[in-house]
Amino acid sequence: MNKYTLIILLLLTTAPLLGQESTDFTIGEIFEMDSKALGEKREYIVSLPASYQGDEFYVEKNYPVLILLDGQRLFHLVSAMIHSMSSGGIEQIPEMIVVGVNQINRNQELVPLESDDEQRRISSKDFRRFIEEELVPEIERKYRTIDCRIIVGHSFGGLFVIESFLESNNYEGYLAIDPSLWWADEILNLRAKEILQNRDLRPLSIYISQSNNPFDEGLATGRLGKAIQGFKRILEQTSSRDLRYKFDFFEKEDHFSIPLISLYEGLQYLFKGYKYPLNEIKSKEIKEIDEHYKSLMTRLGGEVLPPGKLLNQVGLYLLRNESIEKGIALLELNKKYYSNSYIPYNSLGEAYLIQENEELALKHFMKSVEINPGNEHARRRINELRNE
């Protein structure tokens, strides 16, 4: 398999004048693989989470996978958005492995077959086989993943997301940005009525956004608006309690400006509850917080662990500003989630020192050093507690 590196050269604006050196900054890698489903070689782009290599807290962590259609057009936007929303102490959503799939012929690969075009060389069914039977297994072999997959597409890509939702049910989350549901006289809306009436849905979520057509303004006007609102009505008639769905109409966005806001709002919805409401933590019992995350893991289909760095910060804040007992309880819960990281043990060592429980403080500092022998802070604490 051939591999190329996708690189952005970050040059200071004065570099040509001052002769300053540039710095390479890798945002992803381009790979090529042979596809039996498509009968040709295909490229895909991979962006790994910031914590994937050598993170002190998230040690050997496993990650959800996000499949992005039209990767060559949307990869920079999506990978940057996910990085921003999942790191830097914000952790609104989990970190993810982003896989951008490059399109060669969108009109064949992303749209459903009509009765009179069954002779196309490649169909959306073929492209779905490539993603689900070849690409996803390839990603799972190469990287640390969990059974939580999200698929994202815009326009024809959004149409492909809707068809995947109806036909394959192989993802925990579907994000369809301004999907072209008008295609072929709303062929997917016609299929949806029958499919959703006769199929049991496992827990999953779908988010659909709609833009405003500047030449035919309104929620349910024009081919696009009428088709999307028609699909919305079909979902509203679905009785499955396991199906979560949300529609957003962005009055100020057109078909080309809508991806940015849709991605932000869509990811927030698909992973709703990942960032526990901070204003509620003080009033909730630790058991309730634990049950909340257990329920979230069930919904997302895999072990999507809570935002450990954020919970660690909140636990330390509660410890020093609100309640020692509540802070310790939250830090103990976080230790359960991340028992192979030395940092929760460090935090609990400090917490038990504040509580004047030197025995438990020593126990946690010793465990921290066992995990990370280079932890000099914990070693100093151990020596202080032993009066050495």
Side-chain angles (χ1 to χ4, degrees):
M1 178 180 294
N2 295 320
K3 181 175 76 172
Y4 309 92
T5 303
L6 181 67
I7 293 177
I8 293 179
L9 296 178
L10 301 178
L11 299 176
L12 296 175
T13 56
T14 56
L17 297 176
L18 302 179
Q20 295 175 334
E21 293 183 0
S22 64
T23 301
D24 293 345
F25 182 71
T26 303
I27 63 168
E29 292 181 294
I30 300 178
F31 297 87
E32 188 177 74
M33 67 181 295
D34 290 311
S35 170
K36 293 181 180 180
L38 302 178
E40 61 190 20
K41 293 181 181 294
R42 297 304 296 250
E43 286 187 347
Y44 64 94
I45 319 169
V46 176
S47 174
L48 296 177
S51 69
Y52 195 89
Q53 300 289 351
D55 189 86
E56 290 185 311
F57 200 108
Y58 298 134
V59 180
E60 294 297 307
K61 185 179 177 182
N62 299 323
Y63 300 88
V65 175
L66 183 142
I67 301 296
L68 172 67
L69 304 167
D70 287 315
Q72 68 270 48
R73 179 167 59 90
L74 297 173
F75 186 80
H76 292 77
L77 168 65
V78 174
S79 58
M81 175 73 78
I82 290 175
H83 176 77
S84 176
M85 294 176 69
S86 64
S87 60
I90 300 172
E91 296 191 274
Q92 299 166 286
I93 62 174
E95 291 181 292
M96 286 172 265
I97 297 172
V98 180
V99 182
V101 188
N102 294 343
Q103 312 305 147
I104 293 178
N105 188 327
R106 300 177 77 249
N107 290 5
Q108 289 190 12
E109 298 163 2
L110 299 179
V111 301
L113 283 169
E114 299 175 76
S115 58
D116 59 351
D117 67 358
E118 295 183 359
Q119 299 304 312
R120 318 181 191 157
R121 190 178 69 82
I122 293 176
S123 68
S124 60
K125 183 178 180 180
D126 297 325
F127 202 72
R128 187 167 299 105
R129 283 180 51 223
F130 161 64
I131 292 175
E132 296 175 3
E133 299 177 16
E134 297 175 340
L135 178 59
V136 169
E138 173 82 0
I139 296 299
E140 292 176 344
R141 282 193 297 269
K142 291 173 63 175
Y143 303 105
R144 301 192 306 270
T145 67
I146 58 176
D147 290 332
C148 176
R149 304 186 194 102
I150 308 298
I151 185 168
V152 178
H154 169 232
S155 191
F156 276 171
L159 185 69
F160 185 91
V161 169
I162 298 292
E163 188 180 24
S164 298
F165 164 71
L166 295 173
E167 300 289 349
S168 67
N169 203 21
N170 281 328
Y171 304 87
E172 280 62 48
Y174 300 79
L175 205 167
I177 302 172
D178 222 20
S180 303
L181 282 164
W182 52 265
W183 174 263
D185 296 324
E186 302 183 20
I187 188 172
L188 286 191
N189 283 3
L190 296 175
R191 292 184 193 172
K193 293 178 182 179
E194 180 179 356
I195 290 172
L196 294 178
Q197 287 176 355
N198 297 294
R199 192 182 73 192
D200 293 329
L201 295 173
R202 61 185 178 85
L204 54 84
S205 305
I206 182 169
Y207 174 88
I208 301 173
S209 66
Q210 178 185 337
S211 68
N212 200 5
N213 185 342
F215 303 106
D216 197 1
E217 295 184 343
L219 179 66
T221 59
R223 291 194 302 167
L224 179 65
K226 290 177 182 178
I228 291 179
Q229 290 305 305
F231 189 75
K232 178 182 178 182
R233 287 192 294 273
I234 294 169
L235 286 188
E236 288 171 345
Q237 296 167 7
T238 302
S239 59
S240 174
R241 290 178 295 178
D242 289 328
L243 174 63
R244 297 174 63 246
Y245 60 88
K246 182 182 180 184
F247 285 78
D248 272 336
F249 173 61
F250 294 106
E251 186 177 4
K252 296 181 180 180
E253 309 299 334
D254 61 33
H255 187 66
F256 302 101
S257 66
I258 196 173
L260 180 63
I261 190 171
S262 299
L263 183 68
Y264 180 80
E265 294 294 339
L267 289 172
Q268 289 269 35
Y269 176 71
L270 296 181
F271 292 100
K272 185 176 181 180
Y274 179 75
K275 181 178 181 179
Y276 200 91
L278 299 183
N279 61 333
E280 296 181 14
I281 283 184
K282 287 194 300 183
S283 62
K284 296 293 185 181
E285 296 294 329
I286 295 301
K287 182 179 179 180
E288 293 178 88
I289 298 173
D290 192 23
E291 290 298 324
H292 167 86
Y293 280 111
K294 287 179 180 176
S295 176
L296 182 68
M297 291 177 199
T298 299
R299 192 186 90 208
L300 294 176
E303 195 172 320
V304 180
L305 293 176
K309 294 180 182 179
L310 182 61
L311 291 182
N312 188 68
Q313 293 172 6
V314 174
L316 292 174
Y317 172 83
L318 293 175
L319 179 76
R320 292 163 180 158
N321 298 279
E322 300 289 342
S323 164
I324 293 176
E325 290 73 21
K326 187 62 175 287
I328 287 176
L330 187 59
L331 292 172
E332 286 283 2
L333 179 63
N334 208 28
K335 181 182 73 175
K336 183 180 77 170
Y337 298 140
Y338 295 97
S339 59
N340 61 342
S341 170
Y342 79 93
I343 295 176
Y345 295 96
N346 246 26
S347 298
L348 280 165
E350 297 296 336
Y352 284 118
L353 274 183
I354 294 174
Q355 198 184 46
E356 299 183 349
N357 188 332
E358 294 186 356
E359 181 180 351
L360 280 178
L362 179 61
K363 174 184 175 182
H364 283 85
F365 284 128
M366 290 179 66
K367 182 65 176 180
S368 179
V369 170
E370 179 186 326
I371 295 173
N372 178 17
N375 185 358
E376 293 301 325
H377 171 79
R379 287 189 181 279
R380 286 195 299 271
R381 288 299 199 203
I382 292 170
N383 291 336
E384 291 169 1
L385 288 165
R386 288 176 170 173
N387 296 315
E388 294 178 357

